[in-house]
Amino acid sequence: MKKKAWREAGTGYLLLAPTLFVLLLFIIGPIVFAVFLAFHKVQLLGTSTFEFVGFDNFKRMAGDLRAKIALWNTVKYVVIVVPCQTMLALVLAATLNAGLKGQKFFRIVYFLPTLTSSAVLTLIFMWMYNQNGLINHLFHAIGLPTYNWLGDPKVALNAIMMMNIWSTAPFFMVIYLAALQDIPDSLYEAAELDGASAIQKFWYVTVPYLRPVTSFVVIMGLIGTFQLFDQSYIFSAGSGGPNNSTLTVVLLIYQYAFKTLGTMGYAAALAFVLAIIILIATLVQRRFSKEESLY
């Protein structure tokens, strides 16, 4: 029996070997190496050197003003974008699930931004945000003030927020739309018999039923928004400007890793701290959603 069990286990691990090899090489290996780099002063160009510095890279963050600005920008971005994209996705899904005329057409139209490349979408919005672009022309036509969307530190990050809310909400809308199909009609019929209005049915039937889906959407939103990089990079040509207003933690990591000599270890330490922040935010959200589910 033992030989047979060992033979079966060996066959299973042999079949798993290609997948395990890929996981070790491309996922677990880079994570372990990044943690290793976080405790070293690293020079990768030319002759590679690794000097163990302990927690010096982590201590350096306390006096790094740009790291504090990047963290503040990232947190502000997360706090605004995640709730907005979640609510917009839920409203769009509920609207398309209401049986309106032409809803199949609108589902396709709403989902188009998700199919567009992030870089291409950013370039399109940069054209729209130009001082002589479409948005300022529309604002001027209806008597609203125009903005220097790309050059004003007060509005540059807000411009990226609006673009990402518009482009990411359709993806989560599809998730909500699939979940809405599973809500039993009997719940709505019972609420209707009790005299509930359309808004009351949405608030007291739809929203509570979708709490597990909302938890998933929020967690995915948290992970994605904390990792904002490409839009910020393209908007600012990699500088995080104007005046560090679009500098995010991931963009700062890129700058230290590939633009500044001898700071690869510090960049790895920043990446490690960012991973811990994302993990804590995810755990807090999961804890909060579990407490909500008790009621």
Side-chain angles (χ1 to χ4, degrees), residues 84-107:
C84 289
Q85 72 183 11
T86 303
M87 289 187 289
L88 179 59
L90 179 56
V91 170
L92 288 174
T95 303
L96 291 176
N97 195 56
L100 300 175
K101 206 170 185 180
Q103 64 179 14
K104 290 184 179 179
F105 169 76
F106 286 110
R107 286 180 186 179

Side-chain angles (χ1 to χ4, degrees), residues 187-236:
L187 294 178
Y188 292 110
E189 291 169 0
E192 198 169 339
L193 288 173
D194 288 336
S197 64
I199 295 176
Q200 287 174 324
K201 284 190 287 185
F202 174 79
W203 189 252
Y204 294 107
V205 177
T206 305
V207 172
Y209 195 90
L210 294 178
R211 275 179 184 165
V213 179
T214 301
S215 177
F216 170 78
V217 167
V218 170
I219 289 173
M220 294 299 294
L222 284 172
I223 295 171
T225 49
F226 267 115
Q227 295 177 345
L228 173 67
F229 169 74
D230 48 352
Q231 295 94 337
S232 180
Y233 179 89
I234 297 172
F235 259 80
S236 64

Side-chain angles (χ1 to χ4, degrees), residues 77-90 168 171-173 175-176 207 210-227 277-289 292:
Y77 177 84
V78 170
V79 169
I80 294 175
V81 171
V82 172
C84 289
Q85 72 183 11
T86 303
M87 289 187 289
L88 179 59
L90 179 56
T168 55
F171 172 75
F172 297 120
M173 175 198 73
I175 297 174
Y176 273 125
V207 172
L210 294 178
R211 275 179 184 165
V213 179
T214 301
S215 177
F216 170 78
V217 167
V218 170
I219 289 173
M220 294 299 294
L222 284 172
I223 295 171
T225 49
F226 267 115
Q227 295 177 345
I277 292 172
I278 294 174
L279 177 62
I280 292 172
T282 303
L283 293 175
V284 168
Q285 198 284 327
R286 282 175 58 86
R287 177 73 176 177
F288 180 73
S289 63
E292 273 196 337

Side-chain angles (χ1 to χ4, degrees), residues 44-283:
L44 293 181
L45 298 177
T47 304
S48 299
T49 59
F50 300 88
E51 179 187 346
F52 181 74
V53 294
F55 288 93
D56 287 357
N57 286 327
F58 296 94
K59 293 176 184 176
R60 179 178 172 180
M61 297 177 199
D64 189 345
L65 179 60
R66 297 190 77 232
K68 294 176 182 177
I69 293 172
L71 180 60
W72 168 247
N73 288 340
T74 304
V75 170
K76 183 167 64 171
Y77 177 84
V78 170
V79 169
I80 294 175
V81 171
V82 172
C84 289
Q85 72 183 11
T86 303
M87 289 187 289
L88 179 59
L90 179 56
V91 170
L92 288 174
T95 303
L96 291 176
N97 195 56
L100 300 175
K101 206 170 185 180
Q103 64 179 14
K104 290 184 179 179
F105 169 76
F106 286 110
R107 286 180 186 179
I108 296 172
V109 171
Y110 289 161
F111 192 69
L112 283 178
T114 304
L115 302 177
T116 308
S117 164
S118 177
V120 172
L121 197 64
T122 305
L123 291 173
I124 292 172
F125 267 82
M126 286 182 69
W127 167 75
M128 293 171 61
Y129 282 140
N130 192 282
Q131 282 189 295
N132 296 316
L134 177 62
I135 294 178
N136 276 344
H137 277 300
L138 291 175
F139 279 9
H140 180 73
I142 59 178
L144 293 175
T146 59
Y147 296 96
N148 182 10
W149 297 95
L150 304 178
D152 189 347
K154 294 180 180 179
V155 297
L157 186 61
N158 297 332
I160 297 177
M161 289 180 188
M162 288 189 289
M163 179 190 69
N164 277 325
I165 291 169
W166 177 82
S167 62
T168 55
F171 172 75
F172 297 120
M173 175 198 73
V174 173
I175 297 174
Y176 273 125
L177 200 55
L180 284 169
Q181 310 297 318
D182 292 334
I183 300 179
D185 292 334
S186 57
L187 294 178
Y188 292 110
E189 291 169 0
E192 198 169 339
L193 288 173
D194 288 336
S197 64
I199 295 176
Q200 287 174 324
K201 284 190 287 185
F202 174 79
W203 189 252
Y204 294 107
V205 177
T206 305
V207 172
Y209 195 90
L210 294 178
R211 275 179 184 165
V213 179
T214 301
S215 177
F216 170 78
V217 167
V218 170
I219 289 173
M220 294 299 294
L222 284 172
I223 295 171
T225 49
F226 267 115
Q227 295 177 345
L228 173 67
F229 169 74
D230 48 352
Q231 295 94 337
S232 180
Y233 179 89
I234 297 172
F235 259 80
S236 64
S239 67
N243 196 24
N244 292 326
S245 60
T246 61
L247 182 67
T248 62
V249 175
V250 178
L251 179 55
L252 185 66
I253 291 170
Y254 166 81
Q255 291 177 351
Y256 278 126
F258 301 107
K259 297 292 184 181
T260 309
L261 292 177
T263 54
M264 178 66 79
Y266 182 53
L270 285 169
F272 182 78
V273 170
L274 178 62
I276 296 298
I277 292 172
I278 294 174
L279 177 62
I280 292 172
T282 303
L283 293 175

